[in-house]
């Protein structure tokens, strides 16, 4: 997807339209979930105005937008598009950062920069009309994923009024992929589906 020869966002849009001809699918529950570069693509699909309206949620695992893509959601403020990100605090390939800088360089010095997770999730929360401040550190809210104690999750949105629209989860891992990552994302999606009366 990170190239200029093919339009992978349009491919996704066309794929979803085509799948409707072959399978019975609930259009209100289309989610994207990706690991590493797949997580970057998940963010891109949520940021693009062509694909974002098709989505009910985004799961980005060890993946953040590249430095020039600190963008909000590709749907109007009135339209919810929740996102959960799971990041390893020791990840050198796509470092999530700590909110001090808007962008973080990979640890090997190759010159790649990624959007800081705190800033990306803050912007996403702001796009969902959650009250945020510009200063760091900002008081954020804890968010619990039932049955999952491998991670610590927080949000710029207050979960007392329902599942938060933007959740930043961290653990002490590097850039690895764990079987429980998908379970965490699915529980987050189900929380939103229940709140929206879809479950």
């Amino acid at each position: 997807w990170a190239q200029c020869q093919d339009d992978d966002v349009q491919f996704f849009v066309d794929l979803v339209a085509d799948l409707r001809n072959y399978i019975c699918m609930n259009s209100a529950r289309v989610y994207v979930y990706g690991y590493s570069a797949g997580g970057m693509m998940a963010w891109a699909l949520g940021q693009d105005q062509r694909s974002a309206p098709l989505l009910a949620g985004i799961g980005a695992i060890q993946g953040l937008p590249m430095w020039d893509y600190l963008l909000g959601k590709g749907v109007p403020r009135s339209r919810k598009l929740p996102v959960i990100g799971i990041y390893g605090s020791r990840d050198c390939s796509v470092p999530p950062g700590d909110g001090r800088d808007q962008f973080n360089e990979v640890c090997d010095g190759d010159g790649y920069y990624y959007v800081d997770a705190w800033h990306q999730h803050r912007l996403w929360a702001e796009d969902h009309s959650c009250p945020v401040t510009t200063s760091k550190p900002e008081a954020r809210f804890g968010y619990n994923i039932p049955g999952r104690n491998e991670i610590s999750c927080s949000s710029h949105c207050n979960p007392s009024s329902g599942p938060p629209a933007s959740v930043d989860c961290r653990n002490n891992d590097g850039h690895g992929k764990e079987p429980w990552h998908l379970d965490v994302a699915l529980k987050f999606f189900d929380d939103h589906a229940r709140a929206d009366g879809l479950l």
Side-chain angles (χ1 to χ4, degrees), residues 16 25 43 45 49 80 126 128 136 183:
V16 171
M25 61 186 282
W43 279 111
L45 291 171
Q49 294 178 359
K80 186 170 90 167
E126 189 175 36
H128 283 87
K136 171 73 176 130
D183 183 56

Side-chain angles (χ1 to χ4, degrees), residues 108-173:
D108 60 12
D110 279 348
Y112 289 101
Y113 286 83
Y114 294 95
V115 173
D116 183 273
W118 184 90
H119 289 279
Q120 183 63 50
H121 283 277
R122 180 191 169 280
L123 177 59
W124 212 262
E126 189 175 36
D127 271 3
H128 283 87
S129 300
C130 297
V132 297
T133 66
T134 57
S135 60
K136 171 73 176 130
E138 172 185 330
R140 296 199 299 173
F141 303 95
Y143 179 68
N144 182 41
I145 307 287
R148 303 275 30 145
N149 58 5
E150 302 91 342
I151 54 172
S152 174
C153 300
S154 61
S155 178
H156 296 276
C157 302
N158 189 341
S160 66
S161 58
S166 180
V167 174
D168 177 348
C169 299
R170 308 287 180 106
N171 67 1
N172 199 31
D173 289 344

Side-chain angles (χ1 to χ4, degrees), residues 1 36-37 40 62-70 92-97 101-107 111-117 120 175:
W1 65 270
S36 193
M40 297 171 206
Q62 318 290 27
L64 285 155
M66 298 192 95
W67 72 272
D68 50 348
Y69 287 93
L70 178 56
C92 279
S93 299
V94 185
D101 299 307
Q102 279 194 321
F103 311 105
N104 300 299
E105 185 178 9
V106 296
C107 302
Y112 289 101
Y113 286 83
Y114 294 95
V115 173
D116 183 273
Q120 183 63 50
H175 195 68

Side-chain angles (χ1 to χ4, degrees), residues 58 122 199:
I58 300 164
R122 180 191 169 280
L199 278 182

Side-chain angles (χ1 to χ4, degrees), residues 13 79 107 157 191:
V13 171
R79 165 75 155 69
C107 302
C157 302
D191 278 354

